[in-house]
Amino acid sequence: KVNPINLEGIKKAATTATLTILKSNSLLSMNSFDQPGNISPVTSDVNINSKKLVSNQPPYSFSVYRIKL
């Protein structure tokens, strides 16, 4: 699902943000001794255009956006 995040109230924000996401294909997925990296954080950079951050949320995920102010 695509969700816009409006940053209009922030006077100075960076033009990029760091996204850390945890995701899985199933709600029943978990890490184990056999598959310790089954669910692990993935970090990437995302662009902020015109004080709007477009967030594409995959199912069964948790996202953290870090924006320098």
Side-chain angles (χ1 to χ4, degrees):
K1 183 176 179 181
V2 176
N3 297 306
I5 299 171
N6 189 346
L7 304 173
E8 286 296 325
I10 300 172
K11 292 183 181 183
K12 280 191 173 185
T15 56
T16 60
T18 302
L19 167 63
T20 304
I21 188 167
L22 291 172
K23 66 179 179 176
S24 175
N25 293 330
S26 168
L27 285 176
L28 302 176
S29 294
M30 65 179 85
N31 290 345
S32 65
F33 289 113
D34 293 332
Q35 295 179 323
N38 196 24
I39 301 172
S40 58
V42 176
T43 302
S44 63
D45 291 329
V46 293
N47 292 324
I48 300 171
N49 297 321
S50 301
K51 297 217 175 190
K52 288 188 181 175
L53 176 65
V54 177
S55 172
N56 186 4
Q57 301 294 317
Y60 314 120
S61 68
F62 179 80
S63 300
V64 174
Y65 290 91
R66 291 188 174 97
I67 304 167
K68 289 194 178 198
L69 304 176

